[in-house]
Structures are given as structure tokens and as C-alpha cells.
Amino acid sequence: MYACTKFVTVPALVWRSPRVLCQPLSASLLSIPNAQMEQVHPSARRTIMTSVARRDIDTAAKFIGAGAATVGVAGSGAGIGTVFGSLIIGYARNPSLKQQLFSYAILGFALSEAMGLFCLMVAFLILFAM
């Protein structure tokens, strides 16, 4: 516990906090010179700017993530096809269970469609909420 408080109370960590939070603790401690450290006024610190290349990478990652999340919609379509194909096969084997088989098919359709909508919702969240 004592070692942790020594790291937290180092003045350079307090004054250089925006830069220090972006790098590992060992790198920030090793980069502190042992000589007298300059003290920068808090209003003189620069804000973190994002470069154009970094924004392009973030945008590309959003599109890739949204595309990967949208793949689940195809699975939903395949699931719906399987549900109604099984309904037809079940009805052909035993026509007297038509009503019960249809209610199970509607339940399977609803669950499969809900999973597709969840995938679509995640894709929109990735694109527009982040």
C-alpha cells in the first residue's frame, strides 16, 4: 500500500495527468527526469487532438464493426426459413396438429426475427452512438 501512495503522490504525475493517463505507469515514471521538474500551469496544458488519420481509422473500424453486426440478420433469415420449412414438414406428417404446429412456428418466427432486430440495433448503435 505504501508503494502505491508513493506513485500517486509524485508531483509530476499530478501535473502531467492528461499525458500520463494515456500511457502505462512504468513509462510515465521512467520518463520523469530526476532533476528539478518544471511545473506547468494547468491552463497552459494542451488538449488532446485527434489526427485526421486517427479519425479515418476510427470511422473504418465503425463500418467494419457495423458490417460484422449486420451478418446476424442473414442468420435470422435462415432461421425463419428453417422454422416455416419445419412447419410444412410437420403439417405433412400429421395434419391434425395444424394449430399447435402453427403456434410453435409463430413463436420460432418471433424469436428468430427478434435476434435479427437485435443485430440490426447493435449495428446502428456502433454507427451512430459511438
Side-chain angles (χ1 to χ4, degrees), residues 56-107:
D56 288 344
I57 291 171
D58 290 344
T59 304
K62 277 186 181 183
F63 290 142
I64 291 170
T70 310
V71 170
V73 177
S76 173
I80 292 170
T82 302
V83 164
F84 284 109
S86 297
L87 171 68
I88 292 170
I89 291 172
Y91 180 67
R93 288 185 178 181
N94 194 353
S96 64
L97 294 177
K98 178 182 178 181
Q99 192 62 32
Q100 186 179 7
L101 290 174
F102 186 73
S103 63
Y104 287 153
I106 293 298
L107 180 64

Side-chain angles (χ1 to χ4, degrees), residues 107-125:
L107 180 64
F109 166 77
L111 292 175
S112 183
E113 186 71 23
M115 293 310 293
L117 290 176
F118 288 148
C119 293
L120 200 60
M121 179 189 69
V122 168
F124 284 135
L125 283 175

